[in-house]
Amino acid sequence: MREPDACGFIQLQSKRIAEAEQHLSRAARAYEQIGDRGGFAWVRHMTGKVLRCKGKLPEALAAHAEARTIFQSIDLAAGEMASIVEMAGLQTARGNDELALALFDQATDLTKAPGLHENV
């Protein structure tokens, strides 16, 4: 983890949401500039968490869905699973329990992915 996204993570854990957003925004730009799709995906994942803290559930869901798509494209099951779990939690918060259960099933299926535990 590089400094801007590490700082964003720390700010998020400390509930300093505005500061977390600034650090994550910087990290996203940096990862895009250097073409680090995995780093960018993790930043989008953490951005989804920030958006959830702000009560912006549709935007949080979109951020996690984008992260999931990137994780799938680079074959990073651990990231994909993390995003799916967050998406399931958001669906539960929105009252979509059946969709949340389907997402949890998808995450459970990913626990069987080859090499998953080496990527965590």
Side-chain angles (χ1 to χ4, degrees), residues 12 15 18 38 81 120:
L12 177 60
K15 303 294 184 205
M81 188 170 57
V120 176

Side-chain angles (χ1 to χ4, degrees), residues 16-51:
R16 296 190 305 243
I17 303 304
E19 294 170 33
E21 281 183 298
Q22 290 173 352
H23 287 289
L24 292 171
S25 179
R26 276 195 358 221
R29 285 192 304 275
Y31 285 132
E32 276 189 304
Q33 286 177 350
I34 64 172
D36 184 340
R37 293 174 42 82
F40 183 78
W42 281 114
V43 168
R44 292 302 295 151
H45 175 75
M46 288 189 289
T47 299
K49 291 182 175 209
V50 167
L51 291 166

Side-chain angles (χ1 to χ4, degrees), residues 2-3 6 12 29 47 51 60 77 85 95 99 107 112:
R2 292 179 180 83
E3 184 180 336
L12 177 60
R29 285 192 304 275
T47 299
L51 291 166
V85 168
L99 184 52
K112 302 167 190 139

